[in-house]
Amino acid sequence: MNNKSEILFEKSKMFMPGGVNSPVRAFRAVHRNPLFIDRANGAKIYDIDDNEYIDYVCSWGPGILGHADSRVIEAVKRACDKGLTFGAPTENEYILVELVNELMPSMEMIRLVNSGTEAVMSAIRAARGFTGRDKIVKFRGCYHGHSDGLLVKAGSGALTQSIPDSLGVPADYSKNTLVAEYNNNASVEKLFDMYGEDIAAIIVEPVAANMGVVLPDKEFLKDLRRIVDKYKSLLIFDEVITGFRLSLGGAQEYFGVRPDITTLGKIVGGGMPLAAYGGRRDVMDMIAPLGGVYQAGTLSGNPIATTAGIETLKILKEEKGIYKKINDNAVKIKNAVESTFGNSVCVNQIGSLISVFFTEKRVTDYETAISSDTEKYADYFNYMLDKGIYLAPSQFEAMFISAVHSDEDIEKTCAAIKNYKA
Ligand SMILES: *Cc1c(COP(=O)(O)O)cnc(C)c1O
């Protein structure tokens, strides 16, 4: 029964576009009305009609410790008692950035912001300010938030909504965004041959996770490093999803490639609105008040958000075995899907990130990702939801495994997959 969700959705649509505050939440791609969530705990999420689901959305990535981890919640409650925001420096900010720097040493200097969109927008401004160049290279199907210049061939919500480019973005704002193909270094070389001296940076999701999960080929990231070095351009890793998820040190540690600038979001805020960008000291020296690249924020480094981030990162750092456990569980799910669907699907999995593409092709880039049958995905999603398993309501989003998905949760999920009937 979804009566309360249905009624609330109807009412919400009167005051919020599509009834939601972020498009993919509206469940449009799966032809169903969204569930309104009341609460969540551990691996379980509960809607306002009191249905229970095993959650594999995990708030789109932040929930690596599952929901409402008592250590995080207690720390946040204590922080609330001291006041919600001061607009002045706090010790928390220092503790968080020191921890981030320890886990990701390439982030020599760090600035805290409020969302991944803001982190990426600011990182690009820093890269442009530092190099004195205007152009950037992004990859088709990679999503870097909704700022004007980056909504070009973006993935995620923009893919299922079939809005390749957003209305309201003047062509002038995106004319400096060059688009290359993921896993295709020749396409990058070609852009650098033409515009190399004008390119400030390449921005990439080191593991693409917004056209579904797409793994980088063995040499892809290393080649990007080589290309930017040749042209004295910068390499930006958008680790908003991969940071602290693929490994404690993110994709840069996992693949052994050091970016000049990194953007973080999702996990770094431990479930609160917090994100970060940072990198080489000489680049970050360009940021105001030190340098001429202006960037500011009323709530940036918020004491409650930093508390959630600190507690989350501390737990990830101290609790050994989390990354192995979530990877092993992801492999179990991958195996269940492959044994059920065989060659009619392509399952991409790395660490705790998985996508099931309903295509017989091997998915390695945007072109192959969109070859998947989104209607088949919708059927699969609806079947799983009816079995009490909450997957991302879109073919082009990742499935996230958390540290608190139990053996029982994973077994129940695999059993549901194995009994699949369209
Ligand atoms: C989610 C995401 C963003 C945008 O972050 P928001 O906090 O939603 O603004 C940017 N880049 C990547 C890779 C993301 O997954």
Side-chain angles (χ1 to χ4, degrees):
M1 291 290 276
N2 298 324
N3 292 346
K4 288 185 180 166
S5 278
E6 296 291 337
I7 292 167
L8 198 48
F9 187 50
E10 286 311 310
K11 292 202 290 190
S12 296
K13 283 194 282 191
M14 294 195 285
F15 298 111
M16 290 177 267
V20 294
N21 283 306
S22 197
V24 73
R25 294 182 198 170
F27 276 28
R28 291 204 160 198
V30 292
H31 317 301
R32 185 164 182 150
N33 288 337
L35 303 174
F36 281 63
I37 303 304
D38 177 55
R39 64 192 187 281
N41 200 282
K44 306 285 185 350
I45 196 162
Y46 302 86
D47 67 18
I48 56 175
D49 291 290
D50 235 8
N51 299 304
E52 179 188 283
Y53 301 90
I54 303 172
D55 179 26
Y56 291 103
V57 177
C58 294
S59 192
W60 308 94
I64 191 165
L65 300 176
H67 295 284
D69 181 285
S70 60
R71 295 159 292 187
V72 179
I73 298 289
E74 286 309 316
V76 165
K77 283 182 179 166
R78 282 195 302 273
C80 286
D81 287 339
K82 293 176 152 192
L84 298 181
T85 174
F86 315 121
T90 58
E91 189 178 18
N92 267 359
E93 293 159 84
Y94 174 76
I95 295 171
L96 180 59
V97 298
E98 190 193 35
L99 198 49
V100 169
N101 166 267
E102 181 194 332
L103 302 178
M104 287 195 188
S106 78
M107 296 180 78
E108 295 168 355
M109 299 270 274
I110 297 157
R111 173 64 59 88
L112 299 179
V113 294
N114 305 289
S115 71
T117 295
E118 205 188 335
V120 173
M121 192 180 86
S122 311
I124 284 176
R125 187 176 298 156
R128 285 175 166 151
F130 179 77
T131 56
R133 303 172 180 183
D134 286 342
K135 293 194 188 306
I136 55 162
V137 172
K138 82 174 284 287
F139 294 92
R140 200 146 67 115
C142 282
Y143 179 68
H144 303 292
H146 66 85
S147 68
D148 282 338
L150 287 161
L151 271 185
V152 181
K153 310 287 179 206
S156 205
L159 263 182
T160 41
Q161 310 290 313
S162 308
I163 310 170
D165 303 309
S166 174
L167 292 177
V169 178
D172 271 3
Y173 287 26
S174 57
K175 73 176 183 201
N176 287 312
T177 308
L178 308 171
V179 180
E181 299 299 328
Y182 199 81
N183 275 331
N184 181 336
N185 297 110
S187 74
V188 181
E189 301 262 14
K190 202 169 133 198
L191 292 173
F192 273 83
D193 280 345
M194 286 191 288
Y195 306 107
E197 307 295 312
D198 301 323
I199 297 173
I202 297 177
I203 181 157
V204 65
E205 289 181 74
V207 171
N210 285 288
M211 49 179 151
V213 175
V214 178
L215 279 58
D217 287 344
K218 202 157 166 290
E219 296 302 317
F220 177 57
L221 300 171
K222 290 199 172 95
D223 276 343
L224 297 183
R225 180 73 262 173
R226 183 181 52 71
I227 295 168
V228 295
D229 285 344
K230 180 172 161 197
Y231 288 90
K232 296 193 164 43
S233 178
L234 300 177
L235 183 60
I236 304 174
F237 273 6
D238 182 349
E239 295 227 40
V240 170
I241 282 186
T242 53
F244 316 112
R245 177 163 289 280
L246 214 49
S247 74
L248 206 43
Q252 48 199 276
E253 176 183 274
Y254 192 97
F255 295 109
V257 176
R258 191 180 173 104
D260 300 297
I261 307 178
T262 301
T263 55
L264 298 173
K266 302 195 169 111
I267 290 174
V268 76
M272 297 288 289
L274 185 143
Y277 68 103
R280 267 166 52 184
R281 188 172 298 276
D282 56 349
V283 176
M284 294 302 287
D285 275 350
M286 300 297 294
I287 309 295
L290 278 185
V293 174
Y294 191 73
Q295 184 270 310
T298 302
L299 294 176
S300 294
N302 175 268
I304 314 302
T306 46
T307 298
I310 292 165
E311 290 307 313
T312 301
L313 294 191
K314 268 198 205 156
I315 294 167
L316 290 174
K317 190 180 133 189
E318 282 159 18
E319 261 179 37
K320 304 293 171 215
I322 286 184
Y323 292 96
K324 178 168 179 346
K325 177 182 172 190
I326 55 183
N327 179 72
D328 291 352
N329 281 337
V331 170
K332 285 184 192 156
I333 289 172
K334 175 183 158 88
N335 290 342
V337 173
E338 285 178 343
S339 75
T340 306
F341 294 96
N343 288 336
S344 63
V345 297
C346 167
V347 186
N348 283 351
Q349 176 263 331
I350 181 166
S352 55
L353 294 167
I354 319 180
S355 278
V356 180
F357 293 95
F358 286 81
T359 176
E360 291 181 4
K361 293 191 175 152
R362 205 168 70 86
V363 175
T364 58
D365 59 7
Y366 174 83
E367 205 63 44
T368 43
I370 60 161
S371 76
S372 60
D373 186 333
T374 55
E375 290 310 315
K376 281 192 183 153
Y377 183 86
D379 290 345
Y380 171 65
F381 168 89
N382 280 298
Y383 164 86
M384 292 294 273
L385 195 67
D386 291 339
K387 294 272 182 244
I389 295 158
Y390 189 87
L391 302 175
S394 161
Q395 170 74 86
F396 303 110
E397 307 283 355
M399 176 179 188
F400 294 99
I401 314 285
S402 80
V404 297
H405 281 101
S406 64
D407 290 348
E408 195 191 335
D409 295 328
I410 300 295
E411 275 160 28
K412 188 175 167 202
T413 305
C414 292
I417 293 167
K418 286 179 177 157
N419 290 323
Y420 181 72
K421 282 180 200 62

